[in-house]
Amino acid sequence: NAGVTQTPKFQVLKTGQSMTLQCAQDMNHEYMSWYRQDPGMGLRLIHYSVGAGITDQGEVPNGYNVSRSTTEDFPLRLLSAAPSQTSVYFCASRGRSGNTIYFGEGSWLTVV
Amino acid sequence: AQTVTQSQPEMSVQEAETVTLSCTYDTSESDYYLFWYKQPPSRQMILVIRQEAYKQQNATENRFSVNFQKAAKSFSLKISDSQLGDAAMYFCASRGKDYGGSQGNLIFGKGTKLSVKP
């Protein structure tokens, strides 16, 4: 059981480049979400999805796009990377009635 | 809207002693869940303990227990017999019941960094 898998684990981008952080879960969970973690800020919600084809914005959505074409995958796209997007990104998932939220191991992104 | 506040950026405890981490929250939800997560230097998010708001009994997990004061909207974590492996960042979090909206997502406090002295 792989749980929640995030790729890549580390990435360095140049300002203005685009990239996609991948997130996949094999637990048939309806809920998936992306958070970013910055020093002294805790984890903040970027986007979330309550099922395939349904996405919505969280607290800090600007500069990010998401889509949910399948139950398993929830990619996060950076359209034009900025230094302010340097952060650690976490993907999470849970079942509709589940109390346990499963986190990926995090993706370290540096924008120079 | 939900908010979670951790007023202690850093705490320190002697090995084998007891420490309490504070957390207050605010929510308009009538039913909700509260959590404590541990994040070691590896950045892995580890669930420590969970409390369902409708349950009056405080949750416990081995050396970890909570003091849940619903009226005061307080949810503190007590770590007994502290061990070196308890050193980490601890996050308090809350989420509402599921109605297909944003309230089903976790809202985190800013964290408390716990150091354990040998």
Side-chain angles (χ1 to χ4, degrees), chain B residues 1-93:
Chain B
Q2 301 175 71
T3 61
V4 176
T5 302
Q6 294 178 250
S7 59
Q8 307 153 317
E10 295 187 21
M11 291 283 285
S12 180
V13 64
Q14 204 72 32
E15 193 176 7
E17 297 295 310
T18 295
V19 65
T20 298
L21 308 184
S22 301
C23 173
T24 58
Y25 64 93
D26 195 11
T27 179
S28 57
E29 301 292 321
S30 57
D31 199 5
Y32 52 91
Y33 305 95
L34 298 164
F35 307 83
W36 278 98
Y37 281 88
K38 172 184 178 182
Q39 188 182 52
S42 67
R43 297 290 187 122
Q44 182 183 3
M45 294 294 289
I46 302 167
L47 178 64
V48 175
I49 202 162
R50 174 178 59 225
Q51 175 82 40
E52 298 179 36
Y54 70 88
K55 291 185 178 179
Q56 293 187 338
Q57 186 173 7
N58 289 327
T60 62
E61 288 287 343
N62 300 316
R63 297 182 295 106
F64 298 87
S65 62
V66 297
N67 183 4
F68 174 44
Q69 302 289 328
K70 191 172 184 178
K73 295 185 176 177
S74 172
F75 184 61
S76 60
L77 175 70
K78 185 171 81 171
I79 306 174
S80 304
D81 185 25
S82 297
Q83 301 175 359
L84 295 177
D86 294 334
M89 185 72 82
Y90 286 82
F91 291 100
C92 180

Coordinates of all heavy atoms in Angstrom, one line a residue, chain B residues 1-93:
Chain B
A1 N -15.6 30.8 9.3 CA -14.2 30.5 9.1 C -13.6 29.9 10.4 O -14.0 30.3 11.5 CB -13.4 31.7 8.7
Q2 N -12.6 29.0 10.2 CA -11.9 28.4 11.3 C -10.6 29.1 11.5 O -9.9 29.4 10.5 CB -11.8 26.9 11.1 CG -13.1 26.2 10.9 CD -12.8 24.7 10.5 OE1 -12.4 23.9 11.4 NE2 -13.1 24.3 9.3
T3 N -10.1 29.2 12.7 CA -8.8 29.7 13.0 C -8.2 28.8 14.1 O -8.9 28.3 15.0 CB -8.7 31.1 13.4 OG1 -9.5 31.3 14.6 CG2 -9.2 32.1 12.3
V4 N -6.9 28.6 14.0 CA -6.2 27.9 15.1 C -5.0 28.7 15.5 O -4.2 29.1 14.6 CB -5.8 26.5 14.5 CG1 -5.0 25.7 15.6 CG2 -7.0 25.7 14.1
T5 N -4.8 28.8 16.8 CA -3.7 29.7 17.3 C -2.9 28.9 18.3 O -3.4 28.3 19.2 CB -4.3 30.9 18.1 OG1 -5.1 31.6 17.2 CG2 -3.2 31.8 18.5
Q6 N -1.6 28.9 18.0 CA -0.6 28.3 18.9 C 0.3 29.4 19.4 O 1.0 30.0 18.6 CB 0.2 27.2 18.2 CG -0.6 26.0 17.8 CD 0.2 24.9 17.1 OE1 0.0 24.7 15.9 NE2 1.1 24.3 17.8
S7 N 0.2 29.7 20.7 CA 0.9 30.9 21.2 C 2.3 30.7 21.6 O 3.0 31.7 22.0 CB 0.1 31.5 22.4 OG 0.0 30.5 23.4
Q8 N 2.8 29.5 21.6 CA 4.1 29.2 22.0 C 5.0 28.8 20.8 O 4.9 27.6 20.4 CB 4.1 28.0 23.0 CG 3.2 28.2 24.2 CD 2.7 26.9 24.8 OE1 2.3 26.0 24.1 NE2 2.7 26.8 26.1
P9 N 5.8 29.6 20.3 CA 6.6 29.3 19.1 C 7.6 28.2 19.4 O 7.9 27.3 18.6 CB 7.3 30.6 18.7 CG 6.5 31.6 19.3 CD 5.9 31.1 20.6
E10 N 8.1 28.2 20.7 CA 9.1 27.2 21.1 C 8.9 26.8 22.5 O 8.5 27.6 23.4 CB 10.6 27.8 20.9 CG 11.0 28.1 19.5 CD 12.4 28.5 19.4 OE1 13.2 28.2 20.3 OE2 12.8 29.1 18.4
M11 N 9.2 25.5 22.8 CA 9.1 25.0 24.2 C 10.3 24.1 24.4 O 10.8 23.5 23.4 CB 7.8 24.3 24.4 CG 6.5 25.1 24.4 SD 6.3 26.0 25.9 CE 5.7 24.7 27.0
S12 N 10.6 23.9 25.7 CA 11.7 23.0 26.0 C 11.3 22.2 27.2 O 10.6 22.7 28.1 CB 13.0 23.9 26.3 OG 14.0 23.0 26.6
V13 N 11.7 21.0 27.2 CA 11.4 20.1 28.4 C 12.6 19.2 28.6 O 13.4 18.8 27.7 CB 10.2 19.2 28.0 CG1 10.4 18.3 26.9 CG2 9.7 18.5 29.2
Q14 N 12.8 18.8 29.9 CA 13.8 17.9 30.3 C 13.3 16.5 30.0 O 12.1 16.2 30.2 CB 14.1 18.1 31.8 CG 15.5 17.6 32.2 CD 16.6 18.6 31.8 OE1 16.4 19.8 31.6 NE2 17.7 18.0 31.5
E15 N 14.2 15.6 29.6 CA 13.9 14.3 29.3 C 13.2 13.7 30.6 O 13.7 13.9 31.7 CB 15.2 13.5 29.0 CG 14.9 12.1 28.4 CD 16.2 11.4 28.0 OE1 17.3 12.0 28.3 OE2 16.2 10.3 27.4
A16 N 12.2 12.9 30.4 CA 11.4 12.2 31.4 C 10.4 13.1 32.1 O 9.6 12.6 32.9 CB 12.3 11.5 32.5
E17 N 10.4 14.4 31.8 CA 9.5 15.3 32.4 C 8.2 15.5 31.6 O 8.1 14.9 30.5 CB 10.1 16.7 32.6 CG 11.3 16.7 33.6 CD 10.9 16.4 35.0 OE1 9.9 17.0 35.5 OE2 11.5 15.5 35.6
T18 N 7.3 16.3 32.0 CA 6.0 16.5 31.3 C 6.0 17.9 30.8 O 6.4 18.8 31.4 CB 4.8 16.2 32.3 OG1 4.8 14.9 32.7 CG2 3.5 16.6 31.6
V19 N 5.4 18.0 29.6 CA 5.2 19.3 29.0 C 3.9 19.4 28.4 O 3.3 18.4 27.9 CB 6.3 19.5 27.9 CG1 6.2 18.6 26.7 CG2 6.3 21.0 27.4
T20 N 3.3 20.7 28.4 CA 2.0 20.9 27.8 C 2.1 22.0 26.7 O 2.6 23.1 27.0 CB 1.0 21.4 28.9 OG1 0.9 20.3 29.8 CG2 -0.4 21.7 28.3
L21 N 1.6 21.7 25.5 CA 1.6 22.6 24.4 C 0.2 23.2 24.3 O -0.8 22.4 24.3 CB 2.0 21.9 23.1 CG 3.3 21.1 23.1 CD1 3.6 20.6 21.8 CD2 4.4 22.0 23.6
S22 N 0.1 24.5 24.1 CA -1.2 25.1 24.1 C -1.8 25.3 22.7 O -1.0 25.5 21.7 CB -1.1 26.5 24.8 OG -0.7 26.3 26.1
C23 N -3.1 25.3 22.6 CA -3.8 25.5 21.3 C -5.1 26.1 21.6 O -5.9 25.5 22.4 CB -3.9 24.3 20.5 SG -4.8 24.4 19.0
T24 N -5.5 27.2 20.9 CA -6.9 27.6 21.0 C -7.4 27.7 19.5 O -6.6 27.8 18.6 CB -7.0 29.0 21.6 OG1 -6.2 29.9 20.9 CG2 -6.6 29.0 23.1
Y25 N -8.7 27.6 19.4 CA -9.3 27.6 18.1 C -10.6 28.4 18.1 O -11.2 28.7 19.1 CB -9.5 26.1 17.6 CG -10.5 25.4 18.5 CD1 -11.9 25.4 18.1 CD2 -10.1 24.8 19.7 CE1 -12.8 24.7 18.9 CE2 -11.0 24.1 20.5 CZ -12.3 24.1 20.1 OH -13.3 23.5 20.9
D26 N -11.0 28.7 16.9 CA -12.3 29.3 16.7 C -13.0 28.7 15.5 O -12.3 28.5 14.5 CB -12.2 30.8 16.6 CG -13.5 31.6 16.8 OD1 -14.4 30.9 17.2 OD2 -13.5 32.8 16.4
T27 N -14.2 28.4 15.7 CA -15.0 27.8 14.5 C -16.4 28.1 14.7 O -17.0 28.2 15.8 CB -14.8 26.3 14.5 OG1 -15.5 25.7 13.4 CG2 -15.2 25.6 15.8
S28 N -17.1 28.2 13.5 CA -18.6 28.4 13.5 C -19.3 27.1 13.3 O -20.5 27.0 13.3 CB -19.0 29.4 12.4 OG -18.5 28.9 11.2
E29 N -18.5 26.0 13.2 CA -19.1 24.7 13.0 C -19.6 24.1 14.3 O -19.1 24.4 15.3 CB -18.0 23.7 12.4 CG -17.3 24.1 11.1 CD -18.3 24.1 10.0 OE1 -19.1 23.1 9.9 OE2 -18.2 25.0 9.1
S30 N -20.7 23.4 14.2 CA -21.3 22.8 15.3 C -20.7 21.5 15.7 O -20.7 21.0 16.8 CB -22.8 22.6 15.1 OG -23.1 21.8 14.0
D31 N -20.1 20.9 14.7 CA -19.4 19.6 14.9 C -18.1 19.6 14.1 O -18.1 20.1 12.9 CB -20.3 18.4 14.3 CG -19.8 17.1 14.9 OD1 -18.9 17.1 15.8 OD2 -20.4 16.1 14.5
Y32 N -17.0 19.3 14.8 CA -15.7 19.4 14.2 C -14.8 18.4 14.9 O -15.1 17.8 15.9 CB -15.2 20.9 14.3 CG -15.3 21.4 15.7 CD1 -14.2 21.3 16.6 CD2 -16.5 22.0 16.2 CE1 -14.3 21.8 17.9 CE2 -16.5 22.6 17.5 CZ -15.5 22.4 18.3 OH -15.6 22.9 19.6
Y33 N -13.6 18.4 14.3 CA -12.5 17.5 14.8 C -11.3 18.4 15.1 O -11.0 19.3 14.4 CB -12.1 16.4 13.8 CG -13.3 15.6 13.3 CD1 -13.9 15.9 12.1 CD2 -13.7 14.5 14.0 CE1 -15.0 15.2 11.7 CE2 -14.7 13.7 13.5 CZ -15.4 14.1 12.4 OH -16.4 13.3 11.9
L34 N -10.5 17.9 16.1 CA -9.3 18.6 16.5 C -8.1 17.6 16.4 O -8.3 16.4 16.8 CB -9.4 19.2 17.9 CG -10.4 20.3 18.0 CD1 -10.7 20.6 19.4 CD2 -10.0 21.6 17.3
F35 N -7.0 18.0 16.0 CA -5.8 17.1 15.9 C -4.5 17.8 16.4 O -4.4 19.0 16.4 CB -5.6 16.8 14.4 CG -6.8 16.3 13.6 CD1 -7.7 17.2 13.1 CD2 -7.0 15.0 13.4 CE1 -8.8 16.7 12.4 CE2 -8.1 14.5 12.7 CZ -9.0 15.4 12.2
W36 N -3.6 16.9 16.8 CA -2.2 17.3 17.0 C -1.4 16.5 16.0 O -1.5 15.2 16.0 CB -1.8 17.1 18.4 CG -2.2 18.2 19.3 CD1 -3.2 18.2 20.2 CD2 -1.5 19.4 19.5 NE1 -3.3 19.4 20.9 CE2 -2.2 20.2 20.5 CE3 -0.3 20.0 19.0 CZ2 -1.8 21.4 20.9 CZ3 0.1 21.3 19.4 CH2 -0.7 22.0 20.3
Y37 N -0.5 17.2 15.3 CA 0.4 16.5 14.4 C 1.8 16.8 14.8 O 2.2 17.9 15.3 CB 0.3 17.0 12.9 CG -0.9 16.4 12.2 CD1 -2.2 17.0 12.2 CD2 -0.7 15.2 11.4 CE1 -3.2 16.4 11.5 CE2 -1.8 14.7 10.7 CZ -3.0 15.3 10.8 OH -4.1 14.7 10.1
K38 N 2.7 15.8 14.7 CA 4.1 15.9 14.9 C 4.9 15.9 13.6 O 4.6 15.2 12.7 CB 4.6 14.7 15.8 CG 6.1 14.6 16.0 CD 6.4 13.3 16.7 CE 7.9 13.2 16.9 NZ 8.3 11.9 17.6
Q39 N 5.8 16.9 13.5 CA 6.6 17.0 12.3 C 8.1 17.0 12.7 O 8.6 18.0 13.1 CB 6.3 18.2 11.5 CG 7.0 18.2 10.1 CD 6.7 19.4 9.3 OE1 6.9 20.6 9.8 NE2 6.2 19.3 8.0
P40 N 8.8 15.8 12.6 CA 10.2 15.8 12.8 C 11.0 16.5 11.7 O 10.4 16.9 10.7 CB 10.5 14.3 12.9 CG 9.4 13.7 12.0 CD 8.2 14.5 12.2
P41 N 12.3 16.6 11.8 CA 13.1 17.2 10.8 C 12.9 16.7 9.4 O 13.1 17.4 8.4 CB 14.6 17.0 11.3 CG 14.4 17.0 12.8 CD 13.1 16.2 13.0
S42 N 12.5 15.4 9.3 CA 12.3 14.8 8.0 C 11.1 15.5 7.3 O 10.9 15.2 6.1 CB 12.0 13.3 8.1 OG 10.8 13.1 8.8
R43 N 10.3 16.2 8.0 CA 9.1 16.9 7.5 C 7.9 16.0 7.4 O 6.8 16.4 6.9 CB 9.3 17.7 6.2 CG 10.4 18.8 6.3 CD 9.8 19.9 7.1 NE 10.8 21.1 7.0 CZ 10.5 22.3 6.5 NH1 9.3 22.5 6.1 NH2 11.4 23.2 6.4
Q44 N 8.0 14.7 7.7 CA 6.9 13.8 7.7 C 5.8 14.3 8.6 O 6.1 14.7 9.7 CB 7.3 12.4 8.0 CG 6.2 11.4 8.0 CD 6.7 10.0 8.4 OE1 7.9 9.9 8.8 NE2 5.9 9.0 8.3
M45 N 4.5 14.3 8.2 CA 3.4 14.7 9.1 C 2.9 13.4 9.8 O 2.4 12.5 9.1 CB 2.3 15.4 8.3 CG 2.7 16.7 7.7 SD 3.1 17.9 8.9 CE 1.4 18.3 9.5
I46 N 3.0 13.4 11.1 CA 2.6 12.2 11.9 C 1.4 12.6 12.8 O 1.6 13.5 13.6 CB 3.8 11.7 12.7 CG1 5.0 11.4 11.8 CG2 3.4 10.5 13.5 CD1 6.3 11.1 12.5
L47 N 0.3 11.9 12.7 CA -0.8 12.2 13.5 C -0.5 11.7 14.9 O -0.1 10.5 15.1 CB -2.1 11.5 13.0 CG -3.3 11.6 13.9 CD1 -3.8 13.1 13.9 CD2 -4.4 10.7 13.3
V48 N -0.6 12.6 15.9 CA -0.3 12.2 17.3 C -1.6 11.8 18.0 O -1.7 10.7 18.7 CB 0.3 13.4 18.1 CG1 0.5 13.1 19.5 CG2 1.6 13.7 17.4
I49 N -2.7 12.6 17.9 CA -3.9 12.4 18.6 C -5.0 13.1 17.9 O -4.8 14.2 17.3 CB -3.7 12.8 20.1 CG1 -4.7 12.1 21.0 CG2 -3.7 14.3 20.2 CD1 -4.3 12.1 22.5
R50 N -6.2 12.6 18.1 CA -7.4 13.2 17.5 C -8.5 13.3 18.5 O -8.7 12.4 19.3 CB -7.8 12.3 16.3 CG -9.2 12.7 15.6 CD -9.5 11.9 14.4 NE -9.5 10.5 14.8 CZ -9.0 9.5 14.1 NH1 -8.2 9.8 13.0 NH2 -9.1 8.2 14.5
Q51 N -9.3 14.3 18.4 CA -10.4 14.5 19.3 C -11.7 14.9 18.5 O -11.6 15.8 17.7 CB -10.1 15.6 20.3 CG -11.3 16.0 21.3 CD -11.4 15.1 22.5 OE1 -10.4 14.7 23.1 NE2 -12.6 14.8 22.8
E52 N -12.8 14.2 18.8 CA -14.0 14.6 18.1 C -14.8 15.5 19.1 O -14.9 15.2 20.3 CB -14.9 13.4 17.8 CG -14.1 12.4 16.8 CD -14.9 11.2 16.5 OE1 -16.1 11.3 16.5 OE2 -14.3 10.1 16.4
A53 N -15.2 16.6 18.6 CA -15.7 17.7 19.5 C -17.0 17.3 20.3 O -17.2 17.8 21.4 CB -16.0 18.9 18.7
Y54 N -17.7 16.3 19.7 CA -19.0 16.0 20.4 C -18.7 15.0 21.6 O -19.5 14.7 22.4 CB -20.0 15.3 19.5 CG -19.6 14.0 19.0 CD1 -19.9 12.8 19.7 CD2 -18.9 13.8 17.8 CE1 -19.6 11.5 19.2 CE2 -18.5 12.6 17.3 CZ -18.9 11.4 18.0 OH -18.5 10.2 17.5
K55 N -17.4 14.5 21.7 CA -17.0 13.6 22.8 C -16.4 14.4 23.9 O -15.5 15.2 23.7 CB -16.0 12.6 22.3 CG -16.6 11.6 21.3 CD -15.6 10.5 21.0 CE -16.2 9.4 20.1 NZ -15.2 8.4 19.7
Q56 N -17.0 14.3 25.1 CA -16.5 15.1 26.2 C -15.2 14.5 26.8 O -14.4 15.2 27.4 CB -17.6 15.2 27.3 CG -18.8 16.0 26.9 CD -19.7 16.2 28.0 OE1 -19.7 15.5 29.0 NE2 -20.6 17.3 27.9
Q57 N -15.0 13.2 26.6 CA -13.9 12.6 27.2 C -12.6 12.9 26.4 O -12.6 12.9 25.2 CB -14.0 11.0 27.2 CG -12.9 10.3 27.9 CD -13.2 8.8 27.9 OE1 -14.2 8.3 27.4 NE2 -12.4 8.1 28.7
N58 N -11.6 13.3 27.2 CA -10.3 13.7 26.5 C -9.6 12.5 25.9 O -9.5 11.4 26.5 CB -9.4 14.3 27.6 CG -9.9 15.7 28.0 OD1 -10.4 16.4 27.2 ND2 -9.6 16.0 29.2
A59 N -9.1 12.7 24.7 CA -8.4 11.6 24.0 C -7.0 11.3 24.6 O -6.4 12.2 25.1 CB -8.3 11.9 22.5
T60 N -6.6 10.1 24.6 CA -5.3 9.7 25.1 C -4.7 8.7 24.1 O -5.4 7.9 23.5 CB -5.3 9.1 26.5 OG1 -6.1 7.9 26.5 CG2 -5.9 10.1 27.5
E61 N -3.4 8.8 23.9 CA -2.6 7.8 23.1 C -1.3 7.6 23.8 O -0.3 8.4 23.6 CB -2.4 8.3 21.7 CG -3.6 8.4 20.8 CD -4.0 7.0 20.4 OE1 -3.2 6.0 20.5 OE2 -5.2 6.8 19.9
N62 N -1.2 6.6 24.6 CA 0.0 6.3 25.3 C 0.5 7.5 26.2 O -0.2 7.9 27.1 CB 1.1 5.8 24.3 CG 0.7 4.6 23.6 OD1 0.1 3.6 24.1 ND2 0.9 4.6 22.3
R63 N 1.6 8.1 25.9 CA 2.2 9.2 26.7 C 1.5 10.5 26.3 O 1.9 11.5 26.9 CB 3.7 9.3 26.5 CG 4.4 8.0 27.0 CD 5.9 8.2 26.8 NE 6.3 8.3 25.4 CZ 6.7 9.4 24.9 NH1 6.8 10.6 25.5 NH2 7.1 9.5 23.6
F64 N 0.7 10.5 25.3 CA 0.1 11.8 24.8 C -1.4 11.8 25.2 O -2.1 10.9 25.1 CB 0.2 11.8 23.3 CG 1.6 11.8 22.8 CD1 2.3 10.6 22.5 CD2 2.3 13.0 22.5 CE1 3.6 10.6 22.0 CE2 3.6 13.0 22.1 CZ 4.2 11.8 21.8
S65 N -1.8 13.0 25.8 CA -3.2 13.2 26.1 C -3.5 14.7 25.8 O -2.6 15.5 25.7 CB -3.4 12.8 27.6 OG -2.6 13.7 28.4
V66 N -4.8 14.9 25.7 CA -5.2 16.3 25.5 C -6.1 16.7 26.6 O -6.7 15.9 27.3 CB -6.0 16.4 24.1 CG1 -5.1 16.1 23.0 CG2 -7.3 15.5 24.1
N67 N -6.2 18.0 26.8 CA -7.2 18.7 27.7 C -8.1 19.5 26.8 O -7.7 20.6 26.3 CB -6.4 19.6 28.7 CG -7.4 20.2 29.7 OD1 -8.6 19.9 29.6 ND2 -6.9 21.0 30.6
F68 N -9.2 19.0 26.5 CA -10.2 19.6 25.6 C -11.2 20.4 26.4 O -12.0 19.8 27.1 CB -10.8 18.5 24.7 CG -11.9 19.0 23.8 CD1 -11.8 20.2 23.1 CD2 -13.1 18.3 23.7 CE1 -12.8 20.6 22.2 CE2 -14.1 18.8 22.8 CZ -14.0 19.9 22.1
Q69 N -11.2 21.7 26.2 CA -12.2 22.6 26.9 C -13.0 23.2 25.8 O -12.6 24.3 25.3 CB -11.4 23.6 27.8 CG -10.5 23.0 28.8 CD -11.3 22.4 29.9 OE1 -12.4 22.8 30.3 NE2 -10.7 21.4 30.5
K70 N -14.2 22.6 25.6 CA -15.0 23.1 24.4 C -15.5 24.5 24.6 O -15.5 25.3 23.7 CB -16.1 22.1 24.2 CG -16.9 22.3 22.9 CD -17.9 21.2 22.7 CE -18.6 21.4 21.3 NZ -19.5 20.3 21.0
A71 N -16.0 24.8 25.8 CA -16.5 26.2 26.0 C -15.4 27.2 25.8 O -15.7 28.3 25.3 CB -17.1 26.3 27.4
A72 N -14.2 26.9 26.3 CA -13.1 27.9 26.2 C -12.4 27.8 24.8 O -11.5 28.5 24.5 CB -12.1 27.6 27.3
K73 N -12.8 26.8 24.0 CA -12.2 26.5 22.7 C -10.7 26.4 22.8 O -9.9 27.0 22.1 CB -12.5 27.6 21.7 CG -14.0 27.7 21.4 CD -14.4 28.7 20.3 CE -15.9 28.6 20.0 NZ -16.3 29.6 19.0
S74 N -10.3 25.5 23.7 CA -8.9 25.2 24.0 C -8.7 23.7 23.9 O -9.5 22.9 24.2 CB -8.6 25.6 25.5 OG -7.4 25.2 25.9
F75 N -7.5 23.4 23.3 CA -7.1 22.0 23.0 C -5.6 21.8 23.2 O -4.9 21.8 22.3 CB -7.5 21.7 21.6 CG -7.3 20.3 21.1 CD1 -8.0 19.3 21.7 CD2 -6.5 20.0 20.0 CE1 -7.8 18.0 21.3 CE2 -6.3 18.7 19.6 CZ -7.0 17.7 20.2
S76 N -5.2 21.6 24.5 CA -3.8 21.5 24.8 C -3.3 20.1 24.7 O -4.1 19.1 25.0 CB -3.5 22.1 26.1 OG -4.2 21.5 27.1
L77 N -2.1 19.9 24.4 CA -1.4 18.5 24.3 C -0.5 18.4 25.5 O 0.4 19.2 25.6 CB -0.7 18.4 23.0 CG 0.1 17.1 22.8 CD1 -0.9 15.9 22.7 CD2 1.0 17.2 21.6
K78 N -0.6 17.3 26.2 CA 0.3 17.0 27.3 C 1.1 15.8 26.9 O 0.6 14.7 26.5 CB -0.4 16.7 28.6 CG 0.5 16.5 29.8 CD -0.2 16.4 31.1 CE -0.8 15.0 31.3 NZ -1.3 14.9 32.7
I79 N 2.4 15.9 27.0 CA 3.4 14.8 26.7 C 4.0 14.4 28.0 O 4.7 15.2 28.6 CB 4.4 15.2 25.7 CG1 3.8 15.8 24.4 CG2 5.3 14.0 25.3 CD1 4.8 16.3 23.4
S80 N 3.8 13.2 28.4 CA 4.3 12.7 29.7 C 5.6 11.9 29.4 O 5.8 11.3 28.4 CB 3.3 11.8 30.4 OG 2.1 12.5 30.6
D81 N 6.5 11.9 30.4 CA 7.7 11.1 30.3 C 8.4 11.4 29.0 O 8.7 10.5 28.1 CB 7.4 9.6 30.4 CG 8.6 8.7 30.4 OD1 9.7 9.2 30.8 OD2 8.5 7.5 30.0
S82 N 8.7 12.6 28.7 CA 9.3 13.1 27.5 C 10.5 12.3 27.1 O 11.4 12.0 27.9 CB 9.6 14.6 27.5 OG 8.4 15.3 27.7
Q83 N 10.6 12.0 25.8 CA 11.7 11.3 25.3 C 12.4 12.1 24.2 O 11.8 13.0 23.6 CB 11.3 9.9 24.7 CG 10.6 9.1 25.7 CD 10.0 7.8 25.1 OE1 10.1 7.6 23.9 NE2 9.4 7.0 25.9
L84 N 13.7 11.8 24.0 CA 14.5 12.6 23.0 C 13.8 12.5 21.6 O 13.9 13.5 20.8 CB 15.9 12.0 22.9 CG 16.8 12.2 24.1 CD1 18.1 11.5 23.9 CD2 16.9 13.6 24.5
G85 N 13.1 11.4 21.3 CA 12.5 11.3 20.0 C 11.2 12.1 19.9 O 10.6 12.2 18.8
D86 N 10.8 12.8 21.0 CA 9.6 13.7 20.9 C 10.0 15.0 20.4 O 9.1 15.8 20.1 CB 9.0 13.8 22.3 CG 8.4 12.6 22.9 OD1 8.0 11.7 22.1 OD2 8.4 12.4 24.1
A87 N 11.3 15.3 20.3 CA 11.7 16.6 19.8 C 11.2 16.8 18.3 O 11.5 15.9 17.5 CB 13.2 16.8 19.8
A88 N 10.5 17.8 18.1 CA 9.9 18.0 16.7 C 9.1 19.3 16.7 O 8.9 20.0 17.8 CB 8.9 16.8 16.4
M89 N 8.5 19.6 15.6 CA 7.5 20.7 15.5 C 6.2 20.0 15.7 O 5.9 19.0 15.1 CB 7.6 21.3 14.1 CG 6.7 22.5 14.0 SD 7.2 24.0 14.9 CE 8.5 24.6 13.7
Y90 N 5.3 20.7 16.5 CA 4.0 20.1 16.7 C 2.9 21.2 16.2 O 3.0 22.3 16.6 CB 3.7 19.9 18.2 CG 4.5 18.7 18.7 CD1 5.8 18.7 19.0 CD2 3.8 17.4 18.8 CE1 6.5 17.6 19.5 CE2 4.5 16.3 19.2 CZ 5.9 16.4 19.5 OH 6.5 15.3 20.0
F91 N 2.0 20.6 15.4 CA 0.9 21.5 14.9 C -0.4 21.0 15.4 O -0.8 19.9 15.4 CB 0.9 21.3 13.4 CG 2.1 22.0 12.7 CD1 3.1 21.2 12.2 CD2 2.2 23.3 12.5 CE1 4.2 21.7 11.6 CE2 3.3 23.9 11.8 CZ 4.3 23.1 11.4
C92 N -1.2 22.0 15.8 CA -2.6 21.8 16.2 C -3.4 22.1 14.9 O -3.0 23.0 14.2 CB -2.9 22.8 17.3 SG -4.6 22.7 17.9
A93 N -4.5 21.4 14.7 CA -5.3 21.6 13.5 C -6.7 21.2 13.8 O -7.0 20.5 14.7 CB -4.7 20.7 12.4

